[in-house]
Amino acid sequence: MTAGHGVGIGWRPEISGFVAGLPGLRFVEVVAESLPPTGPAPAALADLRARDVAVVPHGVRLSLGGAEPVDPARVAHLAHAAAVVDAPLVSEHIAFVRAGDVEAGHLLPLPRSREAVAAVVANVRRTQAELPVPIALEPIAAIFDWPDDELTEAQFITEILDRTGALLLLDIANVYANARNRGTDPVDLLDRLPLDRVAYVHVAGGAEHAGVYHDTHTDPIPAEVLDLIGELCARHRPPALLLERDGNYPAGDVLRAELDAIAAASGYPTVT
Amino acid sequence: MTAGPEHPGAGPAPAAPHPPGPPPGDLAARQAELVAALVTGAPVPPGFDERLVGIARTALLRKRAGDVARHWPLLAAGLGADWPATFAGFAATRPTRGSLRDGWDLARDLHAAGRLTGPARDELAAREATWHYRGADAPRPRRLPALRRGDGTVVIQFAGRVHTLTLPGTAARPGR
Protein backbone atom coordinates (compact mmCIF):
# COMPACT_ATOMS: atom_id res chain seq x y z
CA MET A 1 0.00 0.00 0.00
CA THR A 2 1.12 3.56 -0.53
CA ALA A 3 0.44 6.61 1.59
CA GLY A 4 -2.93 8.16 0.83
CA HIS A 5 -5.05 5.07 1.18
CA GLY A 6 -5.99 6.14 4.73
CA VAL A 7 -9.01 4.49 6.31
CA GLY A 8 -10.70 1.56 4.54
CA ILE A 9 -13.24 -1.14 5.30
CA GLY A 10 -13.54 -4.85 4.65
CA TRP A 11 -15.98 -5.24 1.75
CA ARG A 12 -18.66 -7.86 2.45
CA PRO A 13 -21.77 -8.56 0.34
CA GLU A 14 -24.03 -7.70 3.31
CA ILE A 15 -22.67 -4.12 3.54
CA SER A 16 -21.93 -3.62 -0.15
CA GLY A 17 -24.39 -0.69 -0.41
CA PHE A 18 -22.97 1.00 2.67
CA VAL A 19 -19.41 0.67 1.37
CA ALA A 20 -20.38 2.00 -2.07
CA GLY A 21 -21.84 5.08 -0.36
CA LEU A 22 -18.61 6.14 1.43
CA PRO A 23 -17.51 9.26 -0.49
CA GLY A 24 -13.86 9.41 0.66
CA LEU A 25 -13.07 5.70 0.46
CA ARG A 26 -9.67 4.84 -1.08
CA PHE A 27 -9.31 1.14 -0.31
CA VAL A 28 -11.19 -2.02 0.67
CA GLU A 29 -10.30 -5.62 1.34
CA VAL A 30 -12.23 -8.61 0.03
CA VAL A 31 -12.04 -12.18 1.35
CA ALA A 32 -10.09 -13.86 -1.45
CA GLU A 33 -11.96 -17.17 -1.17
CA SER A 34 -15.28 -15.34 -1.71
CA LEU A 35 -14.21 -14.36 -5.25
CA PRO A 36 -14.98 -16.73 -8.13
CA PRO A 37 -12.04 -19.00 -9.05
CA THR A 38 -12.27 -17.92 -12.67
CA GLY A 39 -13.84 -15.02 -14.52
CA PRO A 40 -14.30 -11.40 -13.51
CA ALA A 41 -14.83 -9.82 -10.11
CA PRO A 42 -18.37 -9.13 -8.80
CA ALA A 43 -19.94 -5.98 -10.26
CA ALA A 44 -19.88 -4.15 -6.91
CA LEU A 45 -16.09 -4.53 -6.72
CA ALA A 46 -15.67 -3.57 -10.37
CA ASP A 47 -17.62 -0.38 -9.60
CA LEU A 48 -15.23 0.42 -6.74
CA ARG A 49 -12.23 -0.20 -9.02
CA ALA A 50 -13.78 2.17 -11.57
CA ARG A 51 -13.72 4.83 -8.80
CA ASP A 52 -10.01 4.00 -8.31
CA VAL A 53 -10.65 2.40 -4.92
CA ALA A 54 -7.86 -0.13 -4.28
CA VAL A 55 -9.08 -3.70 -3.61
CA VAL A 56 -6.85 -6.06 -1.60
CA PRO A 57 -7.69 -9.81 -1.66
CA HIS A 58 -7.33 -11.21 1.87
CA GLY A 59 -6.91 -14.97 2.04
CA VAL A 60 -8.17 -16.97 5.02
CA ARG A 61 -7.84 -20.61 3.89
CA LEU A 62 -4.34 -20.95 2.44
CA SER A 63 -2.87 -22.40 5.66
CA LEU A 64 0.61 -20.90 5.21
CA GLY A 65 1.59 -22.31 8.61
CA GLY A 66 0.61 -25.87 7.76
CA ALA A 67 3.39 -28.45 7.91
CA GLU A 68 2.30 -29.62 4.44
CA PRO A 69 2.99 -27.57 1.28
CA VAL A 70 0.26 -25.08 0.36
CA ASP A 71 -2.35 -26.36 -2.11
CA PRO A 72 -1.34 -25.07 -5.58
CA ALA A 73 -5.03 -24.62 -6.51
CA ARG A 74 -5.54 -22.29 -3.56
CA VAL A 75 -2.42 -20.32 -4.50
CA ALA A 76 -3.67 -20.06 -8.09
CA HIS A 77 -7.01 -18.76 -6.81
CA LEU A 78 -5.30 -16.06 -4.75
CA ALA A 79 -3.18 -15.05 -7.76
CA HIS A 80 -6.32 -14.89 -9.92
CA ALA A 81 -8.08 -12.77 -7.31
CA ALA A 82 -5.15 -10.32 -7.33
CA ALA A 83 -5.25 -10.10 -11.12
CA VAL A 84 -9.01 -9.55 -11.54
CA VAL A 85 -9.15 -6.64 -9.09
CA ASP A 86 -5.75 -5.25 -10.19
CA ALA A 87 -4.65 -5.44 -6.55
CA PRO A 88 -1.62 -3.56 -5.19
CA LEU A 89 -0.93 -6.56 -2.90
CA VAL A 90 -2.60 -9.55 -1.24
CA SER A 91 -2.57 -10.70 2.36
CA GLU A 92 -2.78 -13.95 4.34
CA HIS A 93 -2.22 -15.16 7.90
CA ILE A 94 0.65 -16.63 9.87
CA ALA A 95 -1.51 -19.56 10.94
CA PHE A 96 -2.73 -23.00 9.90
CA VAL A 97 -6.36 -23.94 9.22
CA ARG A 98 -6.17 -27.67 8.46
CA ALA A 99 -4.02 -30.68 9.17
CA GLY A 100 -4.09 -33.62 6.82
CA ASP A 101 -7.55 -33.39 5.30
CA VAL A 102 -9.29 -32.17 8.44
CA GLU A 103 -10.47 -28.55 8.40
CA ALA A 104 -10.26 -26.66 11.67
CA GLY A 105 -12.68 -23.99 10.41
CA HIS A 106 -10.59 -21.29 12.06
CA LEU A 107 -7.14 -19.70 12.08
CA LEU A 108 -4.99 -21.66 14.53
CA PRO A 109 -1.74 -20.53 16.16
CA LEU A 110 1.66 -22.05 15.42
CA PRO A 111 4.32 -22.98 17.91
CA ARG A 112 6.84 -20.14 17.95
CA SER A 113 9.60 -22.59 17.01
CA ARG A 114 12.30 -22.66 14.34
CA GLU A 115 10.54 -25.67 12.80
CA ALA A 116 7.36 -23.60 12.39
CA VAL A 117 9.31 -20.63 11.00
CA ALA A 118 10.79 -22.96 8.38
CA ALA A 119 7.34 -24.31 7.45
CA VAL A 120 5.86 -20.82 7.06
CA VAL A 121 8.86 -19.53 5.11
CA ALA A 122 8.69 -22.46 2.67
CA ASN A 123 4.97 -21.93 2.07
CA VAL A 124 5.26 -18.16 1.71
CA ARG A 125 8.01 -18.64 -0.89
CA ARG A 126 5.89 -21.19 -2.81
CA THR A 127 3.06 -18.64 -2.80
CA GLN A 128 5.20 -15.66 -3.74
CA ALA A 129 6.50 -17.59 -6.76
CA GLU A 130 2.98 -17.62 -8.25
CA LEU A 131 1.70 -14.18 -7.18
CA PRO A 132 1.78 -11.14 -9.47
CA VAL A 133 2.00 -8.77 -6.45
CA PRO A 134 3.61 -8.62 -2.98
CA ILE A 135 2.08 -10.44 -0.01
CA ALA A 136 1.54 -9.08 3.49
CA LEU A 137 1.44 -11.54 6.42
CA GLU A 138 -0.88 -11.13 9.38
CA PRO A 139 -0.16 -12.53 12.86
CA ILE A 140 -3.35 -13.84 14.49
CA ALA A 141 -5.14 -13.60 17.81
CA ALA A 142 -4.53 -16.83 19.73
CA ILE A 143 -6.75 -18.05 22.55
CA PHE A 144 -4.05 -20.56 23.61
CA ASP A 145 -0.32 -20.95 22.99
CA TRP A 146 1.77 -24.03 22.25
CA PRO A 147 3.69 -25.44 25.21
CA ASP A 148 7.17 -25.25 23.70
CA ASP A 149 7.72 -21.77 22.25
CA GLU A 150 11.39 -21.03 21.52
CA LEU A 151 10.96 -17.49 20.20
CA THR A 152 9.15 -14.39 21.38
CA GLU A 153 6.25 -13.20 19.25
CA ALA A 154 8.34 -10.32 17.85
CA GLN A 155 11.28 -12.65 17.03
CA PHE A 156 8.94 -15.15 15.36
CA ILE A 157 7.25 -12.53 13.16
CA THR A 158 10.45 -10.67 12.31
CA GLU A 159 12.31 -13.82 11.31
CA ILE A 160 9.50 -14.85 8.93
CA LEU A 161 9.40 -11.37 7.37
CA ASP A 162 13.21 -11.21 7.05
CA ARG A 163 13.47 -14.60 5.36
CA THR A 164 10.59 -14.04 2.90
CA GLY A 165 10.77 -10.31 2.20
CA ALA A 166 7.02 -10.21 2.91
CA LEU A 167 5.24 -7.16 4.27
CA LEU A 168 3.44 -7.07 7.62
CA LEU A 169 -0.33 -6.80 7.99
CA LEU A 170 -0.56 -5.76 11.62
CA ASP A 171 -3.89 -6.41 13.31
CA ILE A 172 -3.94 -3.95 16.19
CA ALA A 173 -6.98 -5.67 17.71
CA ASN A 174 -5.03 -8.95 17.73
CA VAL A 175 -2.13 -7.19 19.46
CA TYR A 176 -4.61 -6.00 22.08
CA ALA A 177 -6.33 -9.40 22.42
CA ASN A 178 -3.10 -11.37 22.84
CA ALA A 179 -1.63 -8.92 25.35
CA ARG A 180 -4.84 -8.85 27.39
CA ASN A 181 -5.15 -12.64 27.42
CA ARG A 182 -1.45 -13.27 28.15
CA GLY A 183 -1.14 -10.45 30.64
CA THR A 184 1.60 -8.71 28.63
CA ASP A 185 2.09 -5.11 27.48
CA PRO A 186 0.80 -4.48 23.93
CA VAL A 187 2.96 -1.37 23.54
CA ASP A 188 6.06 -3.45 24.27
CA LEU A 189 5.24 -5.63 21.23
CA LEU A 190 4.79 -2.51 19.05
CA ASP A 191 8.28 -1.41 20.14
CA ARG A 192 9.77 -4.73 19.00
CA LEU A 193 8.08 -5.15 15.60
CA PRO A 194 9.49 -3.80 12.31
CA LEU A 195 6.81 -1.11 11.93
CA ASP A 196 8.42 0.19 8.72
CA ARG A 197 7.33 -3.10 7.11
CA VAL A 198 3.61 -2.57 7.86
CA ALA A 199 1.58 -2.52 4.63
CA TYR A 200 -1.68 -1.78 6.43
CA VAL A 201 -3.41 -2.33 9.73
CA HIS A 202 -6.55 -4.24 10.70
CA VAL A 203 -8.93 -2.84 13.32
CA ALA A 204 -11.85 -4.83 14.72
CA GLY A 205 -14.09 -5.24 17.73
CA GLY A 206 -14.31 -8.08 20.19
CA ALA A 207 -15.87 -9.21 23.44
CA GLU A 208 -15.03 -11.20 26.56
CA HIS A 209 -16.45 -14.71 27.03
CA ALA A 210 -15.49 -16.96 29.97
CA GLY A 211 -12.74 -14.59 31.05
CA VAL A 212 -11.03 -14.59 27.64
CA TYR A 213 -11.13 -11.71 25.16
CA HIS A 214 -12.24 -12.89 21.70
CA ASP A 215 -11.44 -11.00 18.50
CA THR A 216 -14.97 -11.53 17.14
CA HIS A 217 -15.31 -8.92 14.36
CA THR A 218 -18.98 -8.77 15.41
CA ASP A 219 -18.72 -6.41 18.41
CA PRO A 220 -17.80 -2.72 18.84
CA ILE A 221 -14.15 -1.61 18.78
CA PRO A 222 -12.97 -1.22 22.41
CA ALA A 223 -11.57 2.18 23.42
CA GLU A 224 -8.28 0.43 24.31
CA VAL A 225 -7.84 -0.63 20.67
CA LEU A 226 -8.36 2.95 19.47
CA ASP A 227 -5.77 4.07 22.06
CA LEU A 228 -3.33 1.50 20.65
CA ILE A 229 -3.80 3.01 17.16
CA GLY A 230 -2.56 6.26 18.68
CA GLU A 231 0.46 4.50 20.21
CA LEU A 232 1.22 2.84 16.88
CA CYS A 233 0.92 6.05 14.84
CA ALA A 234 3.09 7.93 17.35
CA ARG A 235 5.86 5.41 16.53
CA HIS A 236 5.29 4.88 12.81
CA ARG A 237 2.03 5.75 11.09
CA PRO A 238 1.00 2.93 8.71
CA PRO A 239 -0.06 3.85 5.15
CA ALA A 240 -3.58 2.58 5.72
CA LEU A 241 -5.94 1.17 8.38
CA LEU A 242 -8.96 -1.04 7.69
CA LEU A 243 -12.10 -1.81 9.72
CA GLU A 244 -13.06 -5.50 9.71
CA ARG A 245 -16.67 -6.40 10.42
CA ASP A 246 -17.88 -9.95 9.76
CA GLY A 247 -21.45 -10.24 10.94
CA ASN A 248 -24.00 -8.78 13.36
CA TYR A 249 -23.84 -5.69 11.14
CA PRO A 250 -24.97 -2.54 12.94
CA ALA A 251 -26.78 0.45 11.42
CA GLY A 252 -24.81 2.56 8.96
CA ASP A 253 -24.43 5.37 11.49
CA VAL A 254 -22.63 3.01 13.88
CA LEU A 255 -20.20 1.82 11.20
CA ARG A 256 -19.61 5.43 10.10
CA ALA A 257 -18.81 6.38 13.72
CA GLU A 258 -16.26 3.52 13.93
CA LEU A 259 -14.61 4.60 10.67
CA ASP A 260 -14.48 8.19 11.96
CA ALA A 261 -12.96 7.01 15.25
CA ILE A 262 -10.19 5.18 13.35
CA ALA A 263 -9.57 8.30 11.28
CA ALA A 264 -9.39 10.45 14.44
CA ALA A 265 -7.02 8.02 16.19
CA SER A 266 -4.66 7.83 13.20
CA GLY A 267 -4.91 11.40 11.95
CA TYR A 268 -6.12 10.37 8.49
CA PRO A 269 -9.04 12.16 6.78
CA THR A 270 -12.52 10.81 7.39
CA VAL A 271 -13.99 8.76 4.54
CA THR A 272 -17.65 9.04 5.56
CA MET B 1 20.66 -18.21 14.45
CA THR B 2 21.12 -20.44 11.44
CA ALA B 3 19.81 -23.77 12.69
CA GLY B 4 17.20 -25.43 10.55
CA PRO B 5 16.74 -27.40 7.38
CA GLU B 6 18.21 -24.70 5.14
CA HIS B 7 21.63 -25.07 6.73
CA PRO B 8 22.39 -28.79 6.72
CA GLY B 9 26.14 -28.17 7.04
CA ALA B 10 25.92 -26.25 10.29
CA GLY B 11 26.97 -29.26 12.35
CA PRO B 12 25.48 -30.63 15.53
CA ALA B 13 23.85 -28.11 17.84
CA PRO B 14 25.19 -27.82 21.38
CA ALA B 15 23.33 -30.00 23.86
CA ALA B 16 20.38 -28.17 25.35
CA PRO B 17 17.70 -29.23 27.82
CA HIS B 18 14.70 -30.67 25.99
CA PRO B 19 11.50 -28.63 26.22
CA PRO B 20 8.47 -30.32 27.79
CA GLY B 21 6.03 -32.17 25.55
CA PRO B 22 6.63 -34.18 22.36
CA PRO B 23 9.95 -33.72 20.57
CA PRO B 24 10.18 -31.11 17.80
CA GLY B 25 10.53 -32.24 14.21
CA ASP B 26 7.01 -33.59 13.87
CA LEU B 27 4.97 -30.46 13.24
CA ALA B 28 2.53 -32.23 10.91
CA ALA B 29 1.58 -34.86 13.51
CA ARG B 30 1.30 -32.29 16.27
CA GLN B 31 -0.91 -30.01 14.16
CA ALA B 32 -3.14 -32.99 13.36
CA GLU B 33 -3.45 -33.83 17.09
CA LEU B 34 -4.44 -30.27 17.89
CA VAL B 35 -7.03 -30.05 15.09
CA ALA B 36 -8.50 -33.39 16.21
CA ALA B 37 -8.82 -32.06 19.77
CA LEU B 38 -10.62 -28.97 18.49
CA VAL B 39 -13.03 -30.50 15.98
CA THR B 40 -13.48 -34.22 16.70
CA GLY B 41 -13.48 -34.27 20.50
CA ALA B 42 -10.08 -36.03 20.72
CA PRO B 43 -8.04 -35.47 23.90
CA VAL B 44 -6.11 -32.21 24.25
CA PRO B 45 -2.44 -32.95 23.44
CA PRO B 46 -0.01 -32.95 26.39
CA GLY B 47 1.34 -29.59 27.47
CA PHE B 48 -1.56 -27.47 26.20
CA ASP B 49 -3.81 -25.56 28.61
CA GLU B 50 -6.95 -27.72 28.61
CA ARG B 51 -9.18 -24.87 29.79
CA LEU B 52 -8.03 -22.51 27.02
CA VAL B 53 -8.24 -25.16 24.29
CA GLY B 54 -11.77 -25.89 25.53
CA ILE B 55 -12.66 -22.21 25.27
CA ALA B 56 -11.27 -22.17 21.73
CA ARG B 57 -13.37 -25.24 20.88
CA THR B 58 -16.51 -23.49 22.13
CA ALA B 59 -15.66 -20.28 20.26
CA LEU B 60 -15.12 -22.30 17.10
CA LEU B 61 -18.55 -23.94 17.40
CA ARG B 62 -20.15 -20.51 18.00
CA LYS B 63 -18.48 -19.15 14.86
CA ARG B 64 -19.50 -22.20 12.81
CA ALA B 65 -23.09 -21.85 14.05
CA GLY B 66 -23.15 -18.26 12.79
CA ASP B 67 -21.70 -19.25 9.41
CA VAL B 68 -24.21 -22.08 8.96
CA ALA B 69 -27.08 -19.79 9.98
CA ARG B 70 -26.14 -17.46 7.12
CA HIS B 71 -26.44 -20.37 4.65
CA TRP B 72 -29.57 -21.82 6.31
CA PRO B 73 -31.43 -18.80 7.74
CA LEU B 74 -34.81 -20.55 8.10
CA LEU B 75 -33.27 -23.60 9.76
CA ALA B 76 -31.58 -21.40 12.36
CA ALA B 77 -34.59 -19.10 12.79
CA GLY B 78 -36.92 -22.08 13.25
CA LEU B 79 -34.86 -23.25 16.24
CA GLY B 80 -34.70 -19.75 17.71
CA ALA B 81 -32.86 -19.66 21.03
CA ASP B 82 -32.11 -23.40 20.71
CA TRP B 83 -30.04 -22.89 17.53
CA PRO B 84 -26.54 -22.50 19.06
CA ALA B 85 -26.93 -25.53 21.36
CA THR B 86 -28.58 -27.66 18.66
CA PHE B 87 -25.81 -26.89 16.20
CA ALA B 88 -23.09 -27.42 18.82
CA GLY B 89 -24.57 -30.81 19.75
CA PHE B 90 -24.47 -31.83 16.09
CA ALA B 91 -21.07 -30.36 15.23
CA ALA B 92 -18.92 -30.92 18.33
CA THR B 93 -17.35 -34.10 16.96
CA ARG B 94 -17.65 -33.42 13.21
CA PRO B 95 -15.05 -31.39 11.32
CA THR B 96 -16.65 -28.83 9.04
CA ARG B 97 -17.34 -29.78 5.42
CA GLY B 98 -18.31 -26.19 4.67
CA SER B 99 -21.30 -24.27 6.02
CA LEU B 100 -23.64 -25.32 3.20
CA ARG B 101 -23.09 -29.07 3.78
CA ASP B 102 -22.93 -28.79 7.58
CA GLY B 103 -26.37 -27.14 7.60
CA TRP B 104 -27.70 -29.61 5.07
CA ASP B 105 -26.57 -32.64 7.11
CA LEU B 106 -28.12 -31.15 10.26
CA ALA B 107 -31.40 -30.31 8.49
CA ARG B 108 -31.66 -33.88 7.20
CA ASP B 109 -30.98 -35.27 10.70
CA LEU B 110 -33.67 -33.04 12.20
CA HIS B 111 -36.11 -33.90 9.40
CA ALA B 112 -35.56 -37.63 9.95
CA ALA B 113 -36.26 -37.08 13.65
CA GLY B 114 -39.50 -35.25 12.82
CA ARG B 115 -38.15 -32.01 14.26
CA LEU B 116 -38.17 -29.92 11.09
CA THR B 117 -41.35 -27.89 10.55
CA GLY B 118 -42.61 -24.76 8.83
CA PRO B 119 -40.32 -22.59 6.69
CA ALA B 120 -37.23 -24.62 7.73
CA ARG B 121 -38.76 -27.71 6.10
CA ASP B 122 -39.57 -25.71 2.96
CA GLU B 123 -36.00 -24.44 2.92
CA LEU B 124 -34.68 -28.01 2.94
CA ALA B 125 -37.25 -29.10 0.31
CA ALA B 126 -36.19 -26.26 -1.98
CA ARG B 127 -32.50 -27.25 -1.67
CA GLU B 128 -33.31 -30.93 -2.24
CA ALA B 129 -35.31 -30.04 -5.37
CA THR B 130 -32.51 -27.86 -6.76
CA TRP B 131 -29.40 -29.89 -5.98
CA HIS B 132 -28.21 -33.49 -5.94
CA TYR B 133 -26.57 -34.05 -2.57
CA ARG B 134 -25.71 -37.58 -1.50
CA GLY B 135 -23.78 -36.58 1.60
CA ALA B 136 -20.40 -37.96 0.54
CA ASP B 137 -19.62 -35.40 -2.18
CA ALA B 138 -20.31 -31.73 -2.75
CA PRO B 139 -23.85 -30.89 -3.96
CA ARG B 140 -24.31 -30.39 -7.71
CA PRO B 141 -27.19 -28.81 -9.61
CA ARG B 142 -30.03 -31.05 -10.82
CA ARG B 143 -30.50 -30.94 -14.58
CA LEU B 144 -34.02 -32.40 -14.52
CA PRO B 145 -37.17 -30.99 -12.93
CA ALA B 146 -37.81 -32.18 -9.36
CA LEU B 147 -40.55 -32.07 -6.76
CA ARG B 148 -40.22 -32.31 -2.98
CA ARG B 149 -42.72 -32.14 -0.11
CA GLY B 150 -42.36 -29.22 2.30
CA ASP B 151 -44.53 -28.55 5.37
CA GLY B 152 -48.03 -28.39 3.88
CA THR B 153 -46.39 -27.27 0.67
CA VAL B 154 -44.81 -28.75 -2.38
CA VAL B 155 -41.61 -27.38 -3.87
CA ILE B 156 -41.17 -27.67 -7.63
CA GLN B 157 -37.90 -27.00 -9.41
CA PHE B 158 -38.07 -26.53 -13.17
CA ALA B 159 -35.17 -25.18 -15.27
CA GLY B 160 -33.40 -24.10 -12.07
CA ARG B 161 -36.32 -22.00 -10.79
CA VAL B 162 -38.02 -22.97 -7.55
CA HIS B 163 -41.76 -22.58 -6.89
CA THR B 164 -43.43 -23.31 -3.55
CA LEU B 165 -47.12 -24.20 -3.69
CA THR B 166 -49.43 -24.55 -0.69
CA LEU B 167 -51.22 -27.91 -0.88
CA PRO B 168 -55.04 -27.75 -1.12
CA GLY B 169 -56.84 -28.63 2.10
CA THR B 170 -53.92 -27.46 4.23
CA ALA B 171 -54.47 -24.66 6.72
CA ALA B 172 -52.41 -21.60 5.85
CA ARG B 173 -49.47 -21.24 8.22
CA PRO B 174 -49.41 -18.07 10.29
CA GLY B 175 -46.86 -15.54 9.18
CA ARG B 176 -46.67 -16.63 5.55
Side-chain angles (χ1 to χ4, degrees):
Chain A
M1 302 293 285
T2 55
H5 282 99
V7 177
I9 185 166
W11 182 90
R12 307 287 184 262
E14 295 92 333
I15 54 171
S16 178
F18 171 83
V19 173
L22 292 169
L25 189 66
R26 305 293 303 126
F27 98 108
V28 299
E29 199 180 58
V30 59
V31 174
E33 288 82 356
S34 75
L35 293 175
T38 57
L45 288 176
D47 290 348
L48 289 171
R49 288 296 301 123
R51 284 168 51 189
D52 206 24
V53 175
V55 178
V56 176
H58 179 57
V60 297
R61 305 282 298 280
L62 203 49
S63 206
L64 286 172
E68 301 107 350
V70 279
D71 176 356
R74 292 183 185 278
V75 175
H77 186 181
L78 185 59
H80 175 73
V84 292
V85 298
D86 190 22
L89 77 164
V90 299
S91 54
E92 245 290 358
H93 299 86
I94 300 175
F96 75 107
V97 303
R98 73 183 65 82
D101 291 330
V102 182
E103 297 284 334
H106 198 59
L107 301 162
L108 297 179
L110 297 170
R112 290 193 292 273
S113 65
R114 299 191 182 286
E115 185 188 13
V117 167
V120 175
V121 167
N123 273 332
V124 171
R125 287 179 180 165
R126 290 181 185 106
T127 305
Q128 286 171 319
E130 306 301 323
L131 286 177
V133 292
I135 188 168
L137 303 177
E138 179 181 12
I140 64 165
I143 290 174
F144 58 84
D145 287 312
W146 288 64
D148 49 344
D149 289 338
E150 298 171 291
L151 305 171
T152 66
E153 176 135 31
Q155 288 169 336
F156 181 68
I157 295 166
T158 304
E159 182 148 347
I160 291 168
L161 297 180
D162 284 350
R163 287 171 57 181
T164 59
L167 298 164
L168 177 59
L169 164 49
L170 182 65
D171 188 318
I172 200 75
N174 289 353
V175 171
Y176 170 72
N178 288 336
R180 176 166 160 170
N181 289 334
R182 292 172 184 151
T184 58
D185 180 4
V187 174
D188 181 63
L189 179 61
L190 295 183
D191 283 333
R192 291 169 194 276
L193 288 174
L195 298 182
D196 58 330
R197 303 275 288 275
V198 174
Y200 63 107
V201 166
H202 273 171
V203 187
E208 188 171 307
H209 296 283
V212 172
Y213 181 85
H214 295 255
D215 178 54
T216 61
H217 300 187
T218 57
D219 292 281
I221 304 171
E224 295 92 330
V225 169
L226 293 171
D227 291 345
L228 265 185
I229 294 175
E231 294 283 353
L232 170 68
C233 293
R235 285 160 178 76
H236 188 97
R237 188 165 76 156
L241 301 94
L242 181 131
L243 173 64
E244 289 184 292
R245 185 83 188 200
D246 285 296
N248 194 22
Y249 296 101
D253 286 351
V254 177
L255 280 180
R256 268 189 286 275
E258 292 210 320
L259 290 168
D260 289 350
I262 295 169
S266 61
Y268 278 114
T270 58
V271 299
T272 56
Chain B
M1 295 289 287
T2 56
E6 293 182 343
H7 299 274
H18 234 295
D26 203 5
L27 187 61
R30 299 182 71 208
Q31 288 184 338
E33 275 183 1
L34 183 59
V35 170
L38 286 167
V39 303
T40 71
V44 175
F48 285 87
D49 184 317
E50 292 211 22
R51 184 182 72 90
L52 292 178
V53 174
I55 289 171
R57 185 189 277 148
T58 304
L60 182 53
L61 284 169
R62 192 164 52 231
K63 173 172 172 277
R64 281 177 65 187
D67 291 344
V68 171
R70 277 193 280 284
H71 278 88
W72 292 84
L74 303 180
L75 174 67
L79 286 159
D82 291 336
W83 167 249
T86 304
F87 180 79
F90 165 84
T93 56
R94 300 175 195 228
T96 182
R97 303 201 294 177
S99 298
L100 175 66
R101 290 172 70 180
D102 289 353
W104 206 317
D105 294 340
L106 173 57
R108 282 180 172 175
D109 278 10
L110 292 174
H111 184 46
R115 291 181 57 200
L116 205 62
T117 56
R121 193 165 148 195
D122 292 347
E123 184 178 53
L124 176 61
R127 296 274 165 85
E128 301 279 10
T130 312
W131 301 83
H132 270 295
Y133 176 48
R134 281 187 283 223
D137 306 297
R140 51 194 174 80
R142 287 184 189 277
R143 283 178 303 179
L144 298 175
L147 183 148
R148 292 291 180 279
R149 288 288 296 264
D151 185 9
T153 60
V154 61
V155 175
I156 299 163
Q157 177 271 124
F158 184 79
R161 296 195 59 176
V162 172
H163 308 271
T164 303
L165 308 176
T166 303
L167 291 175
T170 322
R173 277 205 305 275
R176 297 207 79 211

